[in-house]
């Protein structure tokens, strides 16, 4: 079982990673974003890790 400090640390790590992703243009895409994209754009986004939340159920 995780201790409270570990849980808080994990939450901050996620928040920091989300801020870095947004700042670098590597933010996660939504299903709505995909609906407006070509297959090539979707493949590029997948390779860049911008679909990880959708693919792995993180959100």
């Amino acid at each position: 079982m995780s201790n409270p400090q570990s849980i808080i640390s994990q939450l901050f790590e996620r928040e920091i990673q989300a801020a870095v992703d947004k700042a670098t243009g590597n933010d996660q895409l939504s299903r709505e974003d995909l609906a407006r994209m070509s297959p090539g754009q979707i493949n590029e986004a997948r390779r860049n890790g911008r679909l990880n939340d959708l693919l792995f159920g993180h959100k």
Side-chain angles (χ1 to χ4, degrees):
M1 184 198 267
S2 297
N3 63 38
Q5 185 177 9
S6 174
I7 293 170
I8 291 170
S9 176
Q10 290 172 359
L11 290 173
F12 279 119
E13 285 177 25
R14 286 187 205 136
E15 292 295 319
I16 291 168
Q17 186 61 51
V20 168
D21 288 343
K22 231 178 211 338
T24 60
N26 194 28
D27 50 328
Q28 295 295 295
L29 298 172
S30 68
R31 292 183 189 277
E32 292 79 22
D33 295 324
L34 295 178
R36 296 185 297 267
M37 296 170 68
S38 71
Q41 290 171 315
I42 293 171
N43 239 348
E44 183 178 345
R46 181 190 52 78
R47 284 191 303 270
N48 291 333
R50 296 183 70 198
L51 299 179
N52 288 349
D53 284 355
L54 288 175
L55 292 171
F56 301 113
H58 293 158
K59 285 189 180 181

